[in-house]
Amino acid sequence: MINLITKLAIKPLAKALYRPVIEGLENVPRKGGVILASNHLSFIDSVVIPLTAPRPVRFLAKAEYWQGEGMRGRLSKAFFDAINAVPVERGTVHLAQAALDAALEVLEGGEAFGIYPEGTRSRDGRLYRGKTGVAWLAMTAGVPVVPVALEGTEHLQPVGSRIPRLARVTVRFGEPLDFTEYHGRQRSAKARREVTDEVMRAVHALSGQELAEVYNELPKAA
């Protein structure tokens, strides 16, 4: 029951409350497997994109979000079920491949899958170099990639904040990128790099962010 109520209420309520600016909805294919590759500014990005896209979009999420106890645990599970998130374990190279395999299953099922090629959130607002998982997925599944640019989500839920604030958000969906010529070449590191760089150029054209030219690495623990 919690899942149903959350699914029915969250999208119209969020749109009415935050009134996001949405551009390029016509660029998202309504059917078939497709990758939505976005810049990444906030934890809430994985909520904003499914709420604004014209079709359900699935993202990977840490499995522990489904493993909590009590009312908080039930609400967490209901929320991530409502946004169609895919639970995965994270941490090792083996688990990273398992996450890609889970994403591939989504695409082969004809669904839309969201991914952040930068890997983790940008803490300084710059656009970092893309990692090649997005290319592996596009080349293996043979699906188009829609570049996405988010603007303002870093103010909607800043790093360290648990509760979203009122802030204007803009979501731009770019024209689909066709990588048919690369289909089946996912084992080629050069081909994966070429596809990833093209995706990131398209994201940059939509976002206008300053380019970092390096990979975005998580801060080291003190």
Side-chain angles (χ1 to χ4, degrees):
M1 179 60 73
I2 292 178
N3 285 358
L4 179 59
I5 294 173
T6 307
K7 269 185 187 293
L8 293 175
I10 191 170
K11 193 164 187 172
L13 179 61
K15 281 191 173 183
L17 185 61
Y18 292 100
R19 294 180 296 169
V21 176
I22 309 170
E23 302 174 2
L25 285 177
E26 70 279 3
N27 291 321
V28 182
R30 298 308 197 262
K31 296 181 179 180
V34 61
I35 297 169
L36 274 63
S38 177
N39 61 335
H40 196 14
L41 302 171
S42 170
F43 168 82
I44 207 164
D45 294 345
S46 298
V47 177
V48 171
I49 292 175
L51 289 178
T52 56
R55 60 181 291 189
V57 181
R58 307 192 71 183
F59 279 88
L60 300 181
K62 293 185 291 186
E64 47 261 49
Y65 291 139
W66 280 263
Q67 298 167 355
E69 298 180 353
M71 179 56 71
R72 175 178 288 185
R74 290 196 294 274
L75 288 173
S76 174
K77 180 180 183 301
F79 176 78
F80 284 97
D81 282 343
I83 62 171
N84 296 308
V86 181
V88 293
E89 301 287 349
R90 295 183 178 182
T92 67
V93 173
H94 172 72
L95 292 176
Q97 183 58 52
L100 285 175
D101 290 341
L104 182 60
E105 186 175 342
V106 170
L107 293 169
E108 290 179 337
E111 297 181 87
F113 178 76
I115 190 171
Y116 306 113
E118 294 171 275
T120 190
R121 289 169 284 176
S122 172
R123 292 174 179 264
D124 58 13
R126 293 187 297 169
L127 185 68
Y128 285 79
R129 197 176 191 205
K131 298 181 180 180
T132 60
V134 62
W136 185 89
L137 285 172
M139 296 158 74
T140 304
V143 299
V145 178
V146 172
V148 181
L150 298 171
E151 183 179 315
T153 57
E154 73 277 23
H155 304 301
L156 180 61
Q157 188 172 11
V159 174
S161 174
R162 286 180 172 270
I163 300 174
R165 304 173 181 178
L166 286 175
R168 180 54 62 92
V169 170
T170 298
V171 185
R172 299 185 184 94
F173 298 97
E175 295 184 4
L177 303 174
D178 182 0
F179 296 111
T180 303
E181 63 180 297
Y182 289 92
H183 185 45
R185 295 175 56 193
Q186 61 270 20
R187 292 189 178 183
S188 167
K190 180 181 178 182
R192 294 197 304 272
R193 186 73 260 162
E194 289 173 353
V195 169
T196 302
D197 287 347
E198 185 173 342
V199 170
M200 296 309 294
R201 283 193 294 270
V203 173
H204 177 247
L206 292 170
S207 73
Q209 293 167 269
E210 178 185 346
L211 292 174
E213 304 291 356
V214 294
Y215 292 112
N216 190 9
E217 303 296 343
L218 288 169
K220 292 183 179 180

